[in-house]
Amino acid sequence: LPQAVESGMGRRYTGWNAPPSKRQITTLSVCLGDVFLFFFILAPLLHGAARWGFLLSFAFVMAVTFTAGILAISIDPVDPMVEAFELDIEPPENHEDEEVAYCRHCKHSVQLDSKHCWDCNKCVANFDHHCPWLNTCIGTRNYGPFYVAIWGLLVMLGLILAVAAFLLEQILNTEAGHGIQSDYGFAKWHLITILILTIFVNGVFALLDMTLVV
């Protein structure tokens, strides 16, 4: 089965289980890269109240986004009836007239709103979709933190785009650009290249993220 974890029942328990997806590695790399970029390159180019305002805003949004993302990855959204079977405990109580389905892959009864995910090889309660960016399924149990994470990421990317666009405009304006100096001795064309790449990469990710939140 694709991406299935060969342990226990051969299913993926959380997004931390190996193997990681290429898009999960890309997500982590871009997020960590953006944190380094903002705190050590973009923010130092700002001055006065603007620097501290953007720094505090970005730090808060980053903390919320990372916390929610880690929760979404760490929570196992498996169907509770399958989980009870695995743990050898009493399944959650169901009303007598409530119908259940049977999954021939999990070899157990599951809730009607559950769906079997082939990437994780398990039935997920109130299955929404499999998220390759987090390497896990999204269902009832982790939809809340997932929703917070994608909105937080959109705000985080928006802050980076706003700062990068503002700095690029200032640098391209010859008179205003004289006041922007890098602590690392970057030449003007170095900064322009960094800012254009920052806008392009984060712009693409912002558009991808918007497809999830809209």
Side-chain angles (χ1 to χ4, degrees):
L1 294 175
Q3 298 286 322
V5 182
E6 296 182 0
S7 61
M9 290 183 66
R11 73 174 181 85
R12 185 187 305 282
Y13 290 86
T14 70
W16 302 113
N17 290 137
S21 67
K22 293 179 180 179
R23 278 183 275 187
Q24 182 186 33
I25 295 174
T26 301
T27 300
L28 293 173
S29 299
V30 170
C31 288
L32 294 177
D34 275 349
V35 170
F36 176 85
L37 178 72
F38 190 88
F39 283 112
F40 295 100
I41 297 180
L42 298 183
L45 295 175
L46 297 171
H47 300 285
R51 174 187 292 185
W52 291 107
F54 276 111
L55 272 174
L56 292 175
S57 299
F58 185 83
F60 174 76
V61 175
M62 179 198 72
V64 172
T65 302
F66 277 41
T67 300
I70 290 172
L71 283 174
I73 293 175
S74 303
I75 295 173
D76 185 0
V78 68
D79 181 284
M81 299 179 73
V82 175
E83 182 181 48
F85 171 70
E86 291 179 345
L87 299 176
D88 195 23
I89 60 176
E90 288 294 323
E93 294 184 3
N94 292 299
H95 298 294
E96 293 182 0
D97 59 347
E98 184 176 348
E99 296 183 5
V100 296
Y102 181 82
C103 177
R104 62 189 179 89
H105 306 290
C106 293
K107 296 180 173 59
H108 200 272
S109 298
V110 297
Q111 297 176 345
L112 285 180
D113 62 3
S114 292
K115 180 180 177 181
H116 194 86
C117 173
W118 291 106
D119 288 289
C120 294
N121 192 26
K122 66 184 178 186
C123 277
V124 176
N126 196 16
F127 181 87
D128 188 78
H129 71 286
H130 177 83
C131 180
W133 302 100
L134 297 181
N135 200 33
T136 189
C137 290
I138 305 301
T140 298
R141 292 181 171 180
N142 61 351
Y143 187 81
F146 169 76
Y147 195 71
V148 173
I150 59 177
W151 270 104
L153 179 61
L154 186 61
V155 175
M156 196 172 89
L157 294 172
L159 286 171
I160 292 176
L161 288 171
V163 172
F166 170 76
L167 291 172
L168 182 61
E169 189 277 332
Q170 292 292 300
I171 291 175
L172 292 177
N173 183 328
T174 306
E175 294 182 3
H178 286 311
I180 298 178
Q181 299 293 330
S182 169
D183 294 339
Y184 307 103
F186 289 142
K188 181 178 178 179
W189 72 271
H190 287 148
L191 291 175
I192 291 175
T193 302
I194 292 172
L195 293 171
I196 290 176
L197 287 175
T198 297
I199 293 172
F200 175 77
V201 173
N202 286 277
V204 170
F205 268 84
L207 290 175
L208 290 173
D209 194 28
M210 287 178 65
T211 63
L212 296 175
V213 301
V214 173

